[in-house]
Amino acid sequence: MSAAARAQRAWVLDLLLLAALWGASFLFMRIGAAEFGALPTAAVRVAIAALFLVPLMVLRGQTGALARHWKAALGVGVINSGMPFALFCFALLTINSGLAAVLNATVPMFGALVAWAWFGDRPDGSRIAGLVIGFAGVALLAGRTAGLHGGAGDHAAQMSALWAVLACLGACLCYGIAASATRRWLQGVPALATATGSQLGATLFLALPAAWLWPAHMPGARAWLALLALGVACTGFAYILFFRLIERAGPARALTVTFLVPVFAVAYGALFLGERITPWMLMCAAIIVCGVALSSGLVRLGRRARPAAAAASVPPPR
């Protein structure tokens, strides 16, 4: 096998493994949140990830980089991990993991909107079309799922589902803001230092609320194992894998993980939790994916995509 073929195989394997890990994060969040509650689940996740990443950062000699940029790293961690993890855990108390993962695929669209507002990175006609298509898909999905169409379930259930969908979209907006904040204040900082600092910041942000809302009865072993896997594999190890993928394949190819995560999440939910996959959900997911592909610059109407256009919209780790 040639060196080029080995390199191609390496980044494709990284891409698939990362998508599998991030897809599993929705499964583990749902299992953990059922016993811990939303905020404690998010807090334990980031605390475990921080404990996993700190020794690696020290061994790689990046402590000084974090010390120089600790304020920005901790602040980004609140927006990039603390708030969105808590919002997704809240949503997963009501909606299934596959739906949450499909909504998570809108992150590049929010990233494009935030970059437009913050840096004046005005999207061209193709990317604007993608934003419209993507958010139309979200509206269709939310409308059917949250019972916004006539006669679907009782009012309380409809409102709970609606709030869950809005929480997922709020988490995606947080990711979009965090991407631009990282670009503004943490550009050039070593990836491992940024990742470690962000998890420390998220842990500090969630510690007191999680302690206040800690469950009265100790959660079972299944929930603890889910959070252990969530913190070590889906957060700590996934960070390392994500940045290695960017290094090996470039940000444009790394962006394609956004399309694969819902596939794994839906499969895990159906296989392990018995979640139902409806034709409507699959149709809306296809619309959202088309919108993300256009809005992120991976696909363009009438001409080939420019890889650089997608670089600013690479999604942060889940």
Side-chain angles (χ1 to χ4, degrees):
M1 183 182 295
S2 66
R6 285 195 298 270
Q8 173 83 3
R9 182 179 179 182
W11 78 258
V12 170
L13 289 176
D14 279 356
L15 181 72
L16 292 173
L17 179 56
L18 183 61
L21 288 172
W22 279 349
S25 68
F26 295 92
L27 169 72
F28 293 135
M29 279 192 289
R30 185 177 174 193
I31 293 173
E35 294 194 40
F36 279 90
L39 283 173
T41 297
V44 173
R45 174 182 182 176
V46 295
I48 292 174
L51 290 172
F52 176 78
L53 288 169
V54 166
L56 295 177
M57 180 188 66
V58 173
L59 288 173
R60 296 190 182 184
Q62 296 185 12
T63 308
L66 177 58
R68 290 189 296 272
H69 301 277
W70 68 272
K71 291 183 180 179
L74 267 61
V76 166
V78 172
I79 307 171
N80 188 55
S81 296
M83 294 174 64
F85 289 174
L87 287 168
F88 271 121
C89 288
F90 166 77
L92 286 164
L93 293 171
T94 303
I95 62 176
N96 65 44
S97 57
L99 173 58
V102 170
L103 292 170
N104 182 75
T106 63
V107 168
M109 294 193 300
F110 282 102
L113 286 175
V114 173
W116 184 4
W118 194 331
F119 297 105
D121 293 346
R122 187 179 185 279
D124 58 21
S126 181
R127 297 181 76 178
I128 290 175
L131 290 170
V132 173
I133 292 170
F135 284 114
V138 169
L140 291 170
L141 182 62
R144 177 66 63 90
T145 303
L148 298 181
H149 59 298
D154 61 87
H155 180 71
Q158 293 175 23
M159 291 307 299
S160 294
L162 177 59
W163 279 114
V165 169
L166 291 176
C168 289
L169 296 178
C172 295
L173 176 60
C174 286
Y175 285 137
I177 295 172
S180 286
T182 300
R183 173 182 170 185
R184 173 64 178 81
W185 288 298
L186 291 171
Q187 195 163 13
V189 179
L192 184 56
T194 300
T196 305
S198 70
Q199 296 311 295
L200 290 171
T203 301
L204 293 173
F205 173 70
L206 292 171
L208 286 179
W212 180 262
L213 296 173
W214 194 261
H217 301 286
M218 181 60 67
R222 181 171 180 258
W224 277 108
L225 288 173
L227 292 195
L228 182 63
L230 188 61
V232 174
C234 301
T235 309
F237 180 68
Y239 262 108
I240 299 171
L241 194 62
F242 174 69
F243 290 115
R244 188 172 75 176
L245 179 62
I246 293 177
E247 182 180 349
R248 285 180 171 181
R253 284 174 172 170
L255 179 63
T256 58
V257 73
T258 304
F259 308 138
L260 295 175
V261 169
V263 176
F264 282 95
V266 168
Y268 292 145
L271 184 61
F272 296 110
L273 299 176
E275 294 178 351
R276 182 166 169 257
I277 305 170
T278 65
W280 180 263
M281 181 176 172
L282 294 177
M283 184 196 75
C284 292
I287 295 173
I288 291 171
V289 166
C290 289
V292 170
L294 285 167
S295 64
S296 64
L298 280 178
V299 175
R300 290 178 179 271
L301 298 175
R303 54 178 174 169
R304 294 182 61 185
R306 293 176 303 188
S313 301
V314 175
R318 301 286 160 266

